Amino acid sequence: MGANIPGRFGLFCSYFPEELVVVLGLEPVRVLPGDGGQPSTRLPAFCCSYAQACLSAGELGKLDDFAAFGFAHACDTMQCLAQIWRSAVRSQTFITVPPADFKAPGAGRYYSAELAALFEDLRRCLAPGLTPGGEACRDPEADLAAPELAALRRAIALLNRIRRLALRLDEMREFLPSDLVADWLRAGLTTPPTDFLASLEAAFPQLEDTVLQARAGLPRAAASGAARHRLLLTGAVFENSSLHSLIESLGARVVAEDSCTAYRHYAGLVNEKAEPFEALADRHALRPPCPCRRSEPGAREAYLLELSRSRRAQAAIIARRKFCDPQAWDAVPIASALRKAGLPVLVLEMAGCAAGEPERNRVQAFL
């Protein structure tokens, strides 16, 4: 197995299981290039800024230190980007296709088999000494050896430990600055798992002490977050904390965040006693619904309503990236459901990942 392979493995979606990367000795790193650079001519102008920035960074060689990249079929843009990536960036590229509807009959069996085949591709093609490039290979007759199975279980246990702490941190949001929590959770996507776990464990006593002081030293209303506007923030990917910092500077606080770079990424644990691939498939099926996945009618609305109630949110901001079709379709019923429940809602369209003066004006007026 490729236990000694050095390097980082770039991920474009939280539906690509990090465990399958960790077990090979690679570091799973979410690709978050931010804004900047010229848009690639290989993508239409009406593609979102995240896809444009990723491809631009790849073409310019800014991601050359990555050993390989992994895509999960989320939206049409990212599916097209996965195919373009292989020729434009000429890197080892792996693609997994989660079921469009995790609740559909046979979806669990399909996805567990898909993940087993994906792992076979990864371990065969990322063997030591293999030159990056070319198509992923398959060897359907190869069996998962006992040492690999044990290593996979250790990787699952490691990621579960991180998720437990990350979710505890997410529950502290009302007592901690919005950008601080966002920075910590995003660091878990770009830091080697063992390093992130160690830093999070080291920081937790101080974080918990801060929460205790806030509870003890402030009136109950202020300690519960009533001194600031309590916001539910929902979006896809936040490459930085500029929007969170902006919200804090205007006297509000993000007490609940539904995004692929925060709560949704960490939600759900893998059953460490079950068959690994079935357990990984089950974990993704139980995660909060994503706008890119088909779910029961009203599932997204019900999930966000419950999240807003549990965190006592007073209003909601739907941060929608320009040209993101799944988010655009999602924003309409979500905004309607939240407004019917009595929450003021701001649908905030952002052209790029950085919140600037236009966003400040809209959020300030909304608050």
Side-chain angles (χ1 to χ4, degrees):
M1 196 174 104
N4 297 319
I5 305 173
R8 301 188 296 168
F9 189 101
L11 299 177
F12 292 88
C13 181
S14 60
Y15 279 104
F16 197 104
E18 297 169 285
E19 291 85 350
L20 303 187
V21 177
V22 171
V23 74
L24 293 175
L26 290 165
E27 300 171 6
V29 176
R30 186 66 186 261
V31 180
L32 300 172
D35 293 333
Q38 292 295 322
S40 174
T41 58
R42 290 184 171 91
L43 285 176
F46 51 79
C47 288
C48 72
S49 62
Y50 175 67
Q52 293 279 7
C54 287
L55 185 53
S56 177
E59 290 176 327
L60 294 173
K62 295 180 179 179
L63 306 176
D64 285 351
D65 59 332
F66 282 76
F69 296 89
F71 289 82
H73 190 177
C75 63
D76 289 342
T77 295
M78 294 309 294
Q79 174 68 2
C80 292
L81 179 61
Q83 302 298 336
I84 295 170
W85 197 267
R86 284 175 164 164
S87 59
V89 183
R90 303 196 63 80
S91 66
Q92 186 78 289
T93 302
F94 301 86
I95 304 172
T96 184
V97 183
D101 182 357
F102 279 106
K103 305 297 183 183
R109 292 193 304 274
Y110 156 76
Y111 197 37
S112 61
E114 172 76 3
L115 294 180
L118 171 64
F119 184 60
E120 194 62 39
D121 287 347
L122 290 167
R123 73 189 185 106
R124 294 290 176 180
C125 294
L126 295 180
L130 183 69
T131 301
E135 295 294 318
C137 56
R138 290 186 181 274
D139 183 359
E141 297 181 359
D143 295 322
L144 193 63
E148 292 172 318
L149 181 61
L152 182 54
R153 291 189 183 279
R154 288 195 298 271
I156 288 173
L158 170 64
L159 271 299
N160 272 350
R161 288 176 64 190
I162 290 174
R163 289 174 187 131
R164 289 188 183 96
L165 285 179
L167 294 175
R168 282 175 59 191
L169 176 61
D170 188 79
E171 292 173 353
M172 299 177 182
R173 281 184 175 275
E174 67 178 274
F175 303 106
L176 299 171
S178 304
D179 47 355
L180 173 66
V181 178
D183 286 340
W184 265 108
L185 295 180
R186 193 173 54 258
L189 281 63
T190 57
T191 307
T194 52
D195 293 347
F196 179 65
L197 178 60
S199 62
L200 196 55
E201 287 177 334
F204 241 84
Q206 182 176 352
L207 293 171
E208 290 177 325
D209 185 58
T210 300
V211 171
L212 288 174
Q213 289 182 16
R215 289 181 183 275
L218 296 175
R220 190 170 186 276
S224 66
R228 287 175 172 267
H229 296 293
R230 302 166 61 87
L231 299 183
L232 163 69
L233 176 64
T234 178
V237 176
F238 293 106
E239 296 100 307
N240 56 55
S241 301
S242 60
L243 181 58
H244 303 77
S245 299
L246 186 154
I247 288 170
E248 281 283 323
S249 71
L250 294 174
R253 174 153 295 172
V254 177
V255 295
E257 180 181 336
D258 164 65
S259 75
C260 299
T261 45
Y263 180 77
R264 274 205 310 266
H265 176 81
Y266 294 101
L269 300 177
V270 181
N271 186 345
E272 297 178 28
K273 297 181 180 180
E275 192 280 326
F277 296 113
E278 291 180 3
L280 288 170
D282 289 342
R283 185 246 166 178
H284 287 282
L286 295 174
R287 289 171 59 197
C290 164
C292 290
R293 306 254 74 80
R294 188 180 302 123
S295 57
E296 297 176 1
R300 278 278 295 161
E301 295 93 310
Y303 151 65
L304 288 175
L305 281 169
E306 176 56 30
L307 183 61
S308 67
R309 288 168 182 153
S310 66
R311 301 293 178 88
R312 302 189 305 280
Q314 299 167 309
I317 294 179
I318 302 174
R320 184 175 73 80
R321 192 66 63 89
K322 190 175 183 179
F323 299 128
C324 178
D325 287 341
Q327 274 194 289
W329 298 325
D330 188 59
V332 177
I334 294 300
S336 176
L338 292 175
R339 285 170 178 147
K340 285 181 181 178
L343 267 71
V345 177
L346 170 65
V347 180
L348 181 67
E349 184 179 80
M350 299 177 64
C353 71
E357 287 306 309
E359 289 77 19
R360 172 177 289 277
N361 290 339
R362 295 198 63 195
V363 174
Q364 186 174 31
F366 174 65
L367 294 175

